[in-house]
Amino acid sequence: MSRDNLAYSTGIEHSAERIKNDLRPIFTGLRDAIPDTDIPDPGFAPVGNRVLAHTYHETQLMALELLNEAIEVIDSWQDLLKLAAKNWRVAEDKGIVRYEEQG
């Protein structure tokens, strides 16, 4: 049986690393790209600026806030998985956890 199975501490550690290396960069990339969505002058044109510019900017700020919150959640998942892996490793080392080989 593979030691990368989620039932092993190494599997839990692997999940934490995947969150760090695969999931988090997606959300930080989206967050960091928000300034690229700015509309350069003349913007929405004189009439459009009066009607749309403020709402557009507020939408950018809302997206920034939501992505920052998502990143905080992702970071908390990673921290909790690392803690779980550490605790599981202690249980493995003390023989509290026993595995049966599937054959």
Side-chain angles (χ1 to χ4, degrees):
M1 181 179 287
S2 168
R3 294 290 289 186
D4 287 337
N5 185 305
L6 282 179
Y8 294 96
S9 60
T10 54
I12 299 169
E13 290 168 349
H14 178 73
S15 294
E17 284 301 307
R18 291 215 42 216
I19 286 172
K20 174 184 171 187
N21 297 326
D22 297 342
L23 184 62
R24 192 178 195 280
I26 293 169
F27 286 86
T28 56
L30 288 170
R31 180 201 58 202
D32 296 345
I34 288 176
D36 296 339
T37 66
D38 286 344
I39 306 285
D41 284 335
F44 296 101
V47 174
N49 282 338
R50 286 187 182 155
V51 176
L52 298 174
H54 177 72
T55 302
Y56 186 80
H57 180 68
E58 289 296 316
T59 302
Q60 286 177 303
L61 293 176
M62 182 174 52
L64 182 63
E65 182 180 337
L66 289 171
L67 288 166
N68 279 329
E69 289 173 6
I71 291 165
E72 286 179 23
V73 169
I74 290 166
D75 289 343
S76 73
W77 290 349
Q78 183 184 358
D79 292 343
L80 290 171
L81 283 169
K82 285 180 181 180
L83 179 61
K86 177 183 170 189
N87 290 340
W88 199 257
R89 180 168 310 279
V90 168
E92 288 171 333
D93 292 345
K94 290 186 177 192
I96 296 169
V97 177
R98 291 195 170 69
Y99 299 103
E100 289 183 20
E101 294 296 324
Q102 301 295 319

